């Protein structure tokens, strides 16, 4: 049987953003950490890293945060940036503050523009991050688009052609699918993630995107019950559906 890896408690908690190792020792001395309901005083103790550890440990009376790897599904609001360091409001501001200090770091899986809303994944899982954004995987991303001007009727063929060129680029766009909802609303599915791609595709047809909302990523859909600005953790099965 494979040996379960162990880790020092102070190292683990510090990597989860609860404070420096000194802080952790101080919290433990004050009786703020419990393991299986008993106060934990020796933070140098090694414990097995098992997925159910958060059920056995509390800090200041609260269950331990989820261990890495974690995958977060967020309904990104308009006006927040997918950056770790931009001056304004960041999508990370919606998560618990200490999660900013976690190691491995939580990052967004690809990016949505500041003015785009909808399905955004965040993770500390490097493999997921790599695979979900790799052009080779061609993960389909579907956006609901509201336009300033009526569609002409020729956009669908152009987007599907595999020959559409965007300004200042030398490689044509991969074929994309357009589903017209009304004269000024459509669903667009793309498999690439070029800079401002959807906005630039419509701009190239003489239109202007006034609202952009991502509804799905691969087989994962944004659930109706996740309001703007809300997030929740995904199970392994749910995160795997990105690749379906
Ligand atoms: N295309 C865009 O133009 N913006 C996004 O945020 C995503 C896709």
């Amino acid at each position: 049987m494979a040996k379960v890896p162990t880790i020092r408690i102070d190292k683990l908690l510090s990597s989860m953003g609860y404070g420096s190792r000194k802080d952790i020792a101080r919290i433990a001395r004050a009786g703020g950490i419990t393991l299986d309901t008993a106060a934990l005083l020796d933070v140098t103790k090694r414990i097995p890293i098992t997925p159910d550890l958060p059920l056995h440990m509390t800090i200041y009376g609260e269950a331990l945060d989820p261990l890495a790897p974690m995958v977060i599904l967020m309904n990104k609001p308009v006006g927040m940036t997918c950056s770790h360091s931009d001056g304004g409001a960041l999508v990370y501001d919606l998560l618990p503050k200490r999660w900013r200090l976690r190691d491995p770091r939580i990052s967004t899986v690809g990016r949505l523009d500041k003015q785009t809303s909808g399905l955004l994944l965040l993770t500390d899982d490097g493999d997921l991050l790599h695979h979900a954004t790799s052009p080779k995987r061609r993960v389909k991303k579907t956006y609901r688009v509201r336009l300033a001007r009526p569609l002409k009727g020729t956009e669908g063929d152009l987007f599907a052609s595999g020959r559409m060129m965007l300004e200042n680029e030398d490689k044509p766009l991969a074929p994309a699918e357009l589903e017209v909802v009304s004269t000024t609303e459509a669903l667009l599915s793309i498999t690439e993630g070029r800079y401002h791609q959807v906005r630039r595709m419509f701009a190239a047809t003489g239109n202007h995107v006034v609202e952009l909302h991502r509804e799905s990523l691969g087989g994962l859909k944004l659930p109706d019950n996740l309001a703007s600005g809300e997030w929740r953790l995904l199970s392994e099965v749910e995160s795997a559906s990105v690749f379906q």
Side-chain angles (χ1 to χ4, degrees):
M1 217 167 63
K3 231 177 132 199
V4 179
T6 63
I7 189 168
R8 266 175 65 140
I9 289 171
D10 54 357
K11 183 167 183 221
L12 172 72
L13 297 183
S14 163
S15 76
M16 294 173 77
Y18 286 101
S20 65
R21 292 202 199 181
K22 270 192 183 160
D23 296 331
I24 306 300
R26 202 171 331 110
I27 300 169
R29 274 199 306 274
I33 304 179
T34 68
L35 184 60
D36 288 324
T37 70
L40 182 129
L41 299 175
D42 179 10
V43 291
T44 66
K45 186 180 152 103
R46 295 187 78 89
I47 49 169
I49 314 175
T50 59
D52 67 350
L53 183 61
L55 301 176
H56 297 278
M57 190 175 273
T58 65
I59 303 201
Y60 289 132
E62 284 186 12
L64 185 70
D65 289 338
L67 305 183
M70 57 155 81
V71 185
I72 300 156
L73 169 66
M74 180 182 282
N75 184 352
K76 178 195 175 294
V78 164
M80 291 190 135
T81 309
C82 294
S83 152
H84 282 288
S85 55
D86 192 81
L90 310 179
V91 291
Y92 301 100
D93 298 342
L94 296 169
L95 302 176
K97 212 169 179 181
R98 65 174 166 267
W99 289 14
R100 289 263 200 116
L101 304 171
R102 284 175 68 112
D103 177 20
R105 178 158 99 148
I106 298 172
S107 299
T108 62
V109 177
R111 286 181 173 210
L112 291 177
D113 304 337
K114 187 172 179 180
Q115 296 311 325
T116 302
S117 58
L119 190 160
L120 180 68
L121 287 190
L122 300 99
T123 189
D124 53 12
D125 181 340
D127 284 344
L128 174 75
L129 206 61
H130 174 70
H131 291 134
T133 53
S134 160
K136 284 194 201 123
R137 290 274 182 151
R138 298 203 193 131
V139 173
K140 182 160 134 179
K141 301 161 252 287
T142 301
Y143 296 86
R144 187 170 290 273
V145 189
R146 262 213 329 114
L147 297 159
R149 289 178 275 282
L151 288 156
K152 295 174 181 154
T154 49
E155 294 86 348
D157 286 346
L158 175 65
F159 294 169
S161 68
R163 288 190 299 276
M164 184 177 184
M165 297 290 293
L166 289 179
E167 231 175 65
N168 302 322
E169 293 201 4
D170 51 14
K171 206 173 151 253
L173 290 172
E177 268 171 57
L178 185 75
E179 186 188 324
V180 175
V181 177
S182 76
T183 50
T184 53
E185 189 176 333
L187 292 169
L188 178 63
S189 299
I190 60 175
T191 56
E192 299 169 289
R194 301 199 201 179
Y195 181 68
H196 289 180
Q197 183 169 338
V198 175
R199 295 177 198 277
R200 289 165 71 211
M201 285 171 77
F202 282 101
T205 70
N207 215 322
H208 176 70
V209 171
V210 287
E211 267 176 42
L212 189 55
H213 180 80
R214 183 153 71 188
E215 296 203 334
S216 61
L217 183 66
L220 182 69
K221 291 197 168 34
L222 186 66
D224 291 339
N225 61 3
L226 198 66
S228 173
E230 286 185 349
W231 59 270
R232 70 169 173 84
L233 293 176
L234 288 188
S235 67
E236 255 179 69
V237 172
E238 287 173 312
S239 14
S241 69
V242 167
F243 301 105
Q244 281 159 13

